[in-house]
Amino acid sequence: MDLGLKDKLIVVTGGAAGIGGAITRACLAEGARVAVIGRRSQNAIAFMDEMNSSSSACHFVEAELEDLSRCESAIKEILAAYGDIYGLVNNAGINDGVGLEKGSVERFVESISKNLTHYYALAHHALPSLKKTQGAIVNISSKVALTGQGNTSGYAASKGAQLALTREWAAELLPYNIRVNAILPAEVMTPLYRRWLDTLGDPKAELARIEAKIPLGHRMTLDSEIAAAAVFLLSPTQSGHTTGQHIIPDGGYVHLDRALT
Ligand code: NAP
């Protein structure tokens, strides 16, 4: 199946690890070009070395996304170096555990800056280019937007706002034929998830307990399964009439009857 992504430029934030890394791989496999925006870490360097060993279509733009002027200059840099942007995948974020009781107002605001503000900033600065390409935006949200988690107000607020903005931008961008959709992962093994698991008393037992509650196959969702949803939502040929949607590839974790687990 031709997804129509060949040579199109896709920007993936946090695209050198975890879910973003899987989306980068999937886009490259479809013949797209990818500009990864993220922090330069040992892991990011190793990921980019691996991508560049088999493709010249993957580029790294170092940026701390909490720095909003850097969000603007990163988009400018990408446009100057690689041309117009067809796809924007807003993915970078962190479940930083700023609770209502245990958090503070200052930490709540910081959490919004880590998880939400850069989604708007990048979409805003990429918009003139997306208008030219009649491109697509995919926002990576979370099941936490629908279910809550407890002790993570900033993250939950950001993830919920991403769903609202997905509908809002889908409506605003109709005249430009720009589609905007969201994906809500639930349980995906990534560096972020591993770090969270390792904070728990018995990570192995905790993982087994979580997996047992996932209805389809009693297993975690693969990062490649999230990436498959992302390339579908980016595809002008396959999802050309799909906009404002919230897709939940989670093995039925959020919606199916608890009695099934
Ligand atoms: P991850 O393993 O931590 O990967 C995220 C990547 O984004 C990392 O490379 C990280 O860099 C980068 N990043 C994060 N904040 C950044 C910032 N402010 N500036 C620049 N780069 C930044 O996370 P993940 O689990 O793949 O999560 C990706 C998305 O999926 C997030 O939006 C998350 O909320 C969502 N999600 C994940 C799950 C899950 O089960 N994993 C479930 C629901 C939703 P560093 O490595 O330097 O931190």
Side-chain angles (χ1 to χ4, degrees):
M1 187 184 291
D2 181 7
L3 298 190
L5 292 175
K6 192 163 172 19
D7 295 332
K8 288 191 163 45
L9 179 64
I10 316 282
V11 173
V12 185
T13 67
I19 288 170
I23 293 171
T24 296
R25 283 179 202 278
C27 290
L28 291 172
E30 292 303 323
R33 297 174 295 129
V34 178
V36 170
I37 305 183
R39 299 185 189 114
R40 190 177 297 279
S41 62
Q42 284 309 316
N43 286 345
I45 291 167
F47 179 90
M48 289 305 298
D49 284 348
E50 186 196 336
M51 295 303 105
N52 291 330
S53 68
S54 56
S55 162
S56 57
C58 193
H59 312 286
F60 189 75
V61 179
E62 181 177 3
E64 168 50 64
L65 291 163
E66 281 188 80
D67 176 350
L68 296 180
S69 63
R70 185 62 191 122
C71 288
E72 180 173 14
S73 62
I75 292 291
K76 280 190 179 148
E77 232 173 87
I78 289 168
L79 293 173
Y82 312 118
D84 275 315
I85 297 166
Y86 169 79
L88 169 63
V89 181
N90 275 319
N91 163 76
I94 180 163
N95 191 344
D96 50 359
V98 180
L100 186 58
E101 193 172 11
K102 291 188 184 149
S104 68
V105 174
E106 291 72 22
R107 289 188 58 221
F108 178 80
V109 172
E110 273 171 28
S111 180
I112 300 291
S113 152
K114 286 178 182 156
N115 286 296
L116 178 62
T117 317
H118 55 86
Y119 276 46
Y120 176 90
L122 293 176
H124 175 74
H125 294 303
L127 186 55
S129 187
L130 292 167
K131 281 165 71 173
K132 285 193 220 162
T133 58
Q134 302 197 340
I137 299 174
V138 175
N139 291 323
I140 305 298
S141 174
S142 167
K143 74 150 191 343
V144 171
L146 303 182
T147 62
Q149 181 182 294
N151 202 31
T152 196
S153 295
Y155 183 72
S158 301
K159 292 295 162 188
Q162 290 161 11
L163 297 185
L165 288 177
T166 296
R167 291 262 154 84
E168 166 64 9
W169 296 347
E172 182 170 335
L173 302 181
L174 287 171
Y176 309 118
N177 205 26
I178 297 172
R179 298 173 304 101
V180 188
N181 293 288
I183 300 175
L184 291 75
E187 310 291 332
V188 186
M189 190 53 71
T190 63
L192 172 70
Y193 197 100
R194 172 54 64 190
R195 279 197 299 277
W196 169 75
L197 204 59
D198 288 344
T199 64
L200 306 176
D202 183 347
K204 208 171 160 195
E206 192 61 29
L207 180 60
R209 194 186 63 75
I210 292 164
E211 284 177 331
K213 289 189 175 160
I214 298 171
L216 188 62
H218 301 295
R219 66 165 177 85
M220 307 282 283
T221 307
L222 302 177
D223 56 9
S224 58
E225 291 169 326
I226 304 295
V231 289
F232 165 72
L233 291 173
L234 288 167
S235 166
T237 59
Q238 303 307 312
S239 69
H241 214 205
T242 302
T243 196
Q245 297 303 304
H246 302 160
I247 308 284
I248 312 178
D250 68 348
Y253 190 60
V254 168
H255 287 96
L256 295 189
D257 193 325
R258 283 283 157 258
L260 296 166
T261 59

